[in-house]
């Protein structure tokens, strides 16, 4: 597996990965699923408009994108998705650690925040993230987490 910076050429594959992962893993359907996908794809629009303010990486195996992570301004994890066939194999952990390394270099003594789905809660806790607010009743779940570095 190789982790590198996402490019505009990766956009269609990243969108496909996000949609497939949501459809396979979140357990919501119909309008709720579409809402989640639309909300998350908006972060890709933000990235296209603000590339200098983002850290956007992909994990590849034999050229195929199997994971993606997007950070806004070294403080906000907006997207972390791993193809269902590669989950629980360390891909997500490697992506998070890769961007944390960048964050530590650019913003020492900072913190990283995110809103996790219910499906991702135990993953983020295992990496040292701590719940930082009240759970919100949103499709897929919305649990605020924070990690100081």
């Amino acid at each position: 597996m190789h982790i590198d910076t996402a490019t505009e050429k990766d956009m269609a594959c990243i969108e496909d990965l996000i949609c497939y992962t949501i459809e396979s893993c979140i357990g919501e359907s119909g309008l709720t699923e579409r809402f989640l996908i639309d909300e998350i794809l908006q972060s890709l629009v933000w990235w296209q408009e603000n590339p200098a303010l983002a850290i956007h990486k992909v994990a590849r195996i034999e050229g195929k994108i199997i994971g993606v992570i997007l950070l806004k301004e070294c403080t906000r994890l907006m997207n972390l998705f791993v193809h269902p066939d590669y989950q629980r194999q360390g891909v997500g952990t490697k992506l998070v650690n890769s961007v944390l390394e960048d964050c530590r270099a650019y913003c020492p003594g900072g913190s990283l925040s995110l809103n996790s789905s219910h499906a991702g809660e135990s993953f983020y806790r295992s990496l040292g993230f701590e719940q930082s607010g009240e759970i919100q009743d949103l499709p897929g779940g919305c649990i605020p987490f924070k990690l100081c570095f």
Side-chain angles (χ1 to χ4, degrees):
M1 179 182 62
H2 179 70
I3 296 176
D4 56 17
T5 301
T7 68
E8 283 287 329
K9 293 177 185 177
D10 297 323
M11 183 63 85
C13 293
I14 291 169
E15 287 181 14
D16 289 347
L17 171 68
I18 289 170
C19 292
Y20 182 76
T21 303
I22 289 172
E23 292 164 358
S24 299
C25 299
I26 300 297
E28 301 285 347
S29 61
L31 293 176
T32 301
E33 182 178 277
R34 190 72 247 162
F35 170 81
L36 288 170
I37 290 170
D38 290 344
E39 286 293 309
I40 292 164
L41 292 182
Q42 282 301 308
S43 64
L44 297 180
V45 172
W46 175 87
W47 167 65
Q48 289 176 306
E49 294 171 352
N50 302 280
L53 299 176
I55 298 174
H56 199 188
K57 295 188 176 190
V58 293
R60 301 178 199 269
I61 291 181
E62 297 177 1
K64 177 184 174 186
I65 295 175
I66 61 160
V68 63
I69 191 167
L70 173 61
L71 266 70
K72 180 179 182 179
E73 299 170 337
C74 278
T75 61
R76 184 88 183 146
L77 195 155
M78 297 173 69
N79 293 344
L80 173 61
F81 290 93
V82 175
H83 190 284
D85 291 347
Y86 296 93
Q87 292 177 1
R88 294 176 176 35
Q89 297 179 33
V91 177
T93 299
K94 288 179 182 175
L95 284 165
V96 170
N97 287 336
S98 177
V99 296
L100 278 174
E101 185 177 310
D102 292 342
C103 289
R104 286 182 183 110
Y106 300 132
C107 308
S111 65
L112 183 60
S113 62
L114 61 95
N115 288 324
S116 173
S117 67
H118 293 297
E121 179 180 6
S122 63
F123 169 75
Y124 291 113
R125 288 188 191 280
S126 75
L127 294 176
F129 285 83
E130 296 180 0
Q131 190 171 331
S132 60
E134 296 295 318
I135 297 173
Q136 299 173 36
D137 186 22
L138 294 173
C142 184
I143 307 165
F145 279 101
K146 187 172 188 175
L147 176 71
C148 296
F149 52 86

